[in-house]
């Protein structure tokens, strides 16, 4: 059983870590834009803010399984194929990016208004406020948000297993569910639980360490 | 130095309109500590925030040293703000940064060299007496210490003006005093103009040179602090003075309850040292009943108030009043 489980664990870790990186690269800047273009914020662009918010909401409304199929052409364009571990990274990243944007928006908004005002009063530019105030001040909350994203991606990646995604989800569905090998299914689920618990634990610890408040 | 010309600020929220500041004009001199006092909702915070355009005035002009702040574009405004330091009621420090980094923040915005920043921050840490807290985070500091960090940060770039938006309102009386002393020291040493918003008469009494009293978005009285204590013209001014500990006269004394004439004397400087009351009793054929008295220590002088009941013939009382006026005592008949 171990020779089946271990490669699947590695596949899951690979899919989740790479798509975490990509979804943050895509979603984090969007989250920053959502915060600073809001009415009354440091780079007010109300119309842009509404449109961006709308697009993010639409993307978040599409069920992951369907989104995965919709982006098959993009996966094919980038990776060259539509099934397998690497190909799954594309829909995973696209699905998680709007989620990351909203989570980061929430984190960045935790910075008290007064702190931003005092930076404005000191003559800080918009980029200075973003990089020297907003992001460092909300770092603990950003870490919690990333933890949440990783755990969500583990869930998504298990779903992706249903349509040829690879990893622990694929193992649980293909061998456990379809071939009625209950022991493999249970083992896969236990490993996923351990992964989720471990990441949550680590995330909480890091968030606490970086928080000086 | 600072000129406010016909400034108004209207907040519009859908159909409701709130006129927070109504057509205020005001001049504040260089090196002056100018207080603006008012109850909450009087518009004083909005007014001070107009001085660095954290709040955009709806109408009117603001000049800082002949520079018309209200005409500047965003970029010029940003640069002009570097000459205007500001401290706040809730300090607004960076919670995730050390005391050192908080003070270094405005210097880093200027992209100064590491050595230059280090020298300046250490100098400021010493100035505000927080050298040993250098590597602490704001959460490890008391309110007074936090405000010291905020003050060091606000003066790091040698601004010409310092604005204090209720800078001592979240502090206990003892800490308030030490912060006020620090602000005074800064003014005396660097000749910075300080504008302070407060609802505490103690603050005005302690360090302000002049004071404006705000009510319903308007300045109802503007005077030197000495003259305000000596002869407050408006009802709000009276109530602010009476809010000070130990000043509880007017509310209790109702002239209708007394047979004689009730007068209120204000002494200042030398007149406080003369035995005026006993002279009055000896020189005129009247009885004097002392109803209340107090002394307010202002930062530059002291002002004593005495409320008396004068009992006797009208002529004698009038002569006594004349005598008091000649003794450079301010007399008010209640």
């Amino acid at each position: 059983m171990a020779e089946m489980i271990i490669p699947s664990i590695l596949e899951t870790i690979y899919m989740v870590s790479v798509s975490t990186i990509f979804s943050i690269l895509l979603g984090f800047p969007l989250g920053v834009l959502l915060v600073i273009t809001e009415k009354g914020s440091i780079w007010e662009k109300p119309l842009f803010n509404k449109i961006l918010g709308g697009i993010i909401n639409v993307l978040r409304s599409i069920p992951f399984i369907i989104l995965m199929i919709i982006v098959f052409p993009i996966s094919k364009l980038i990776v060259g194929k539509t099934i397998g571990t690497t190909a799954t990274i594309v829909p995973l990243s696209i699905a998680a990016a709007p989620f990351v944007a909203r989570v980061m928006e929430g984190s960045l908004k935790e910075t008290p208004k007064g702190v931003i005002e005092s930076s404005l009063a000191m003559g800080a530019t918009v980029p200075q406020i973003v990089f020297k105030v907003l992001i460092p001040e909300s770092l603990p909350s950003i870490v919690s948000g990333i933890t949440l994203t990783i755990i969500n991606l583990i869930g998504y990646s298990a779903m992706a297993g249903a349509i040829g995604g690879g990893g622990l989800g694929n193992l649980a569905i293909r061998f456990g569910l379809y071939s009625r090998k209950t022991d493999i299914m249970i083992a896969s689920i236990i490993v996923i639980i351990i992964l989720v618990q471990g990441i949550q634990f680590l995330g909480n610890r890091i968030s606490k360490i970086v928080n000086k408040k | 130095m600072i000129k406010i010309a016909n400034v108004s600020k209207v907040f519009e929220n859908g159909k409701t309109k709130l006129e927070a500041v109504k057509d205020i004009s005001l001049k504040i001199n260089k090196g002056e500590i100018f207080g603006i006092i008012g109850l909450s909702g009087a518009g004083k915070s909005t007014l001070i925030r107009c001085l660095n355009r954290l709040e955009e005035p709806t109408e009117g002009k603001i000049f800082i040293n002949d520079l018309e702040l209200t005409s500047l574009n965003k970029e010029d405004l940003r640069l002009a703000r570097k000459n205007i330091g500001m401290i706040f009621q809730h300090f607004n420090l960076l919670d995730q940064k050390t005391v050192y980094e908080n003070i270094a923040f405005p210097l880093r915005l200027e992209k100064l060299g590491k050595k230059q920043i280090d020298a300046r921050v250490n100098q400021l840490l010493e100035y505000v007496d927080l050298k040993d807290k250098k590597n602490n985070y704001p959460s490890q500091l008391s309110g007074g210490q936090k405000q010291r960090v905020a003050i060091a940060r606000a003066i790091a770039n040698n601004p010409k003006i310092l604005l204090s938006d209720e800078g001592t309102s979240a502090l206990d009386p003892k800490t308030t005093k030490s912060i006020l002393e620090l602000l005074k020291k800064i003014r005396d040493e660097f000749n910075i103009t300080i504008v302070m918003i407060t609802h505490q008469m103690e603050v005005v009494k302690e360090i302000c040179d002049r004071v404006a009293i705000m009510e319903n978005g308007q300045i109802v009285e503007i005077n030197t602090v000495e003259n305000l204590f000596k002869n407050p013209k408006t009802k709000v001014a009276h109530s602010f003075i009476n809010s000070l500990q130990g000043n509880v006269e007017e509310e209790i004394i109702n002239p209708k309850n007394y047979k004689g004439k009730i007068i209120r004397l204000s002494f200042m400087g030398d007149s406080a040292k003369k035995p005026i009351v006993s002279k009055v009793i000896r020189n005129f054929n009247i009885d004097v009943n002392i109803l209340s008295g107090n002394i307010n220590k202002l930062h530059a002088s002291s002002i004593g108030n005495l409320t008396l009941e004068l009992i006797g013939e009208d002529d004698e009382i009038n002569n006594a009043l004349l005598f008091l006026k000649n003794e450079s005592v301010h007399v008010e008949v209640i």
Side-chain angles (χ1 to χ4, degrees):
Chain A
M1 194 162 74
E3 64 270 20
M4 292 178 81
I5 296 247
I6 288 166
S8 298
I9 294 175
L10 294 178
E11 275 174 19
T12 295
I13 291 174
Y14 164 68
M15 277 192 301
V16 171
S17 44
V18 176
S19 50
T20 300
I21 291 167
F22 280 117
S23 59
I24 290 171
L25 286 177
L26 282 169
F28 191 78
L30 295 179
V32 171
L33 281 176
L34 278 175
V35 173
I36 63 173
T37 60
E38 200 183 42
K39 199 168 161 20
S41 192
I42 53 174
W43 200 50
E44 231 178 333
K45 301 264 178 289
L47 183 68
F48 173 83
N49 187 277
K50 260 188 192 148
I51 295 171
L52 181 64
I55 294 172
I56 287 170
N57 287 344
V58 169
L59 282 174
R60 287 195 66 192
S61 312
I62 303 171
F64 175 66
I65 279 286
I66 294 169
L67 183 84
M68 207 175 151
I69 295 160
I70 296 174
V71 299
F72 267 169
I74 303 175
S75 311
K76 185 137 194 166
L77 199 78
I78 299 171
V79 189
K81 50 185 178 182
T82 57
I83 56 163
T85 328
T86 309
T88 312
I89 289 170
V90 178
L92 281 180
S93 305
I94 292 173
F99 173 78
V100 171
R102 285 292 182 207
V103 171
M104 292 305 150
E105 180 194 13
S107 296
L108 294 167
K109 269 191 185 164
E110 281 174 29
T111 311
K113 232 185 141 195
V115 175
I116 296 165
E117 266 185 354
S118 70
S119 317
L120 283 173
M122 281 184 267
T125 60
V126 171
Q128 279 174 332
I129 293 177
V130 170
F131 291 103
K132 288 180 191 283
V133 180
L134 276 179
I135 296 176
E137 283 300 295
S138 39
L139 196 61
S141 179
I142 289 173
V143 170
S144 303
I146 292 173
T147 310
L148 193 63
T149 306
I150 296 173
I151 289 169
N152 246 331
L153 277 167
I154 292 175
Y156 283 167
S157 80
M159 251 190 276
I163 45 174
L168 286 164
N170 184 33
L171 191 72
I173 290 167
R174 214 145 48 92
F175 291 87
L177 204 62
Y178 297 157
S179 314
R180 294 175 190 259
K181 286 192 176 149
T182 320
D183 52 340
I184 286 184
M185 186 172 78
I186 290 172
S188 310
I189 292 167
I190 288 174
V191 173
I192 292 173
I193 291 171
I194 292 169
L195 266 180
V196 169
Q197 294 281 10
I199 284 159
Q200 188 67 60
F201 175 77
L202 258 178
N204 290 349
R205 283 300 291 272
I206 296 170
S207 172
K208 220 173 170 177
I209 290 167
V210 299
N211 194 359
K212 308 297 181 190
K213 198 174 174 177
Chain B
M1 181 70 195
I2 303 175
K3 202 176 127 196
I4 303 171
N6 307 99
V7 165
S8 298
K9 174 71 187 180
V10 182
F11 290 104
E12 273 181 78
N13 191 0
K15 276 183 188 166
T16 54
K17 248 189 178 179
L18 179 76
E19 253 189 293
V21 171
K22 295 173 197 161
D23 193 28
I24 284 184
S25 294
L26 187 62
K27 258 186 199 165
I28 298 168
N29 305 321
K30 183 170 168 56
E32 186 173 42
I33 301 185
F34 192 91
I36 300 172
I37 190 168
L39 299 171
S40 52
K44 53 193 194 301
S45 202
T46 308
L47 179 64
I48 202 175
R49 289 160 58 84
C50 284
L51 293 183
N52 60 357
R53 279 175 62 192
L54 277 182
E55 213 72 76
E56 290 289 348
T58 315
E59 262 175 80
K61 289 175 179 175
I62 288 162
F63 296 89
I64 308 260
N65 283 340
D66 297 330
L67 174 74
E68 193 192 333
L69 201 75
T70 31
S71 72
L72 299 181
N73 63 26
K74 263 192 173 171
E75 182 58 17
D76 289 338
L77 171 65
R78 190 180 69 76
L79 296 172
R81 276 173 174 166
K82 293 179 191 280
N83 273 323
I84 311 171
M86 189 168 192
I87 59 169
F88 303 83
Q89 180 174 7
H90 298 297
F91 325 119
N92 293 345
L93 299 176
L94 301 167
D95 285 326
Q96 307 293 349
K97 295 258 163 67
T98 59
V99 167
Y100 181 97
E101 280 303 321
N102 265 287
I103 300 175
F105 182 77
L107 306 169
R108 291 200 195 288
L109 296 184
E110 294 308 291
K111 301 192 175 79
L112 294 182
K114 218 177 161 191
K115 269 192 186 159
Q116 229 178 326
I117 291 178
D118 195 56
R120 179 67 177 144
V121 174
N122 282 320
Q123 187 190 1
L124 286 160
L125 278 167
E126 192 145 346
Y127 194 78
V128 299
D129 205 13
L130 282 174
K131 248 184 147 182
D132 52 328
K133 299 285 178 195
K134 186 173 168 169
N135 296 315
N136 285 78
Y137 289 92
S139 62
Q140 298 162 316
L141 303 179
S142 69
Q145 289 168 332
K146 284 183 196 169
Q147 199 57 291
R148 283 170 183 277
V149 177
I151 291 171
R153 179 175 73 168
I155 63 168
N157 277 325
N158 299 308
K160 298 188 178 60
I161 296 166
L162 182 62
L163 307 175
S164 164
D165 188 358
E166 298 274 10
T168 56
S169 300
L171 306 173
D172 61 65
K174 214 179 139 198
T175 318
T176 296
K177 225 169 174 169
S178 81
I179 292 294
L180 293 177
E181 270 162 28
L182 177 63
L183 290 173
K184 209 173 156 202
K185 188 172 117 180
I186 288 169
R187 191 275 305 264
D188 294 345
E189 284 173 30
F190 307 121
N191 202 24
I192 289 182
T193 309
I194 301 180
V195 184
M196 353 197 13
I197 291 296
T198 185
H199 63 270
Q200 299 163 300
M201 202 58 187
E202 286 86 351
V203 171
V204 170
K205 184 176 117 178
E206 202 76 38
I207 68 164
C208 290
D209 300 313
R210 285 198 301 148
V211 60
I213 297 179
M214 271 188 87
E215 199 181 20
N216 297 323
Q218 286 168 315
I219 289 180
V220 292
E221 187 164 352
I222 179 163
N223 217 332
T224 63
V225 175
E226 274 82 12
N227 285 335
L228 183 85
F229 272 86
K230 214 158 76 178
N231 183 22
K233 291 186 200 83
T234 54
K235 227 178 163 181
V236 230
H238 270 286
S239 73
F240 270 120
I241 291 171
N242 289 341
S243 73
L244 288 168
Q245 231 175 3
N247 296 9
V248 281
E249 30 172 334
E250 252 101 309
E251 270 131 328
I252 304 164
I253 298 164
N254 184 349
K256 284 179 195 146
N257 300 337
Y258 296 90
K259 282 185 293 182
K261 202 169 201 124
I262 306 296
I263 62 166
R264 184 166 169 273
L265 306 180
S266 303
F267 313 88
M268 204 179 123
D270 282 343
S271 65
K273 291 173 190 148
K274 293 186 200 159
I276 289 167
V277 176
S278 70
K279 271 192 189 168
V280 168
I281 301 170
R282 226 174 305 140
N283 293 351
F284 304 94
N285 187 21
I286 53 174
D287 284 317
V288 173
N289 183 16
I290 296 176
L291 302 176
S292 81
N294 63 58
I295 291 181
N296 280 301
K297 234 175 119 42
L298 310 179
H299 77 92
S301 59
S302 299
I303 288 195
N305 288 314
L306 202 55
T307 308
L308 303 175
E309 181 189 13
L310 306 182
I311 307 163
E313 298 288 325
D314 280 354
D315 278 356
E316 282 294 299
I317 288 175
N318 286 338
N319 285 337
L321 290 176
L322 214 65
F323 165 79
L324 284 168
K325 277 172 190 161
N326 286 334
E327 289 285 322
S328 68
V329 176
H330 180 82
V331 185
E332 189 189 348
V333 180
I334 300 173

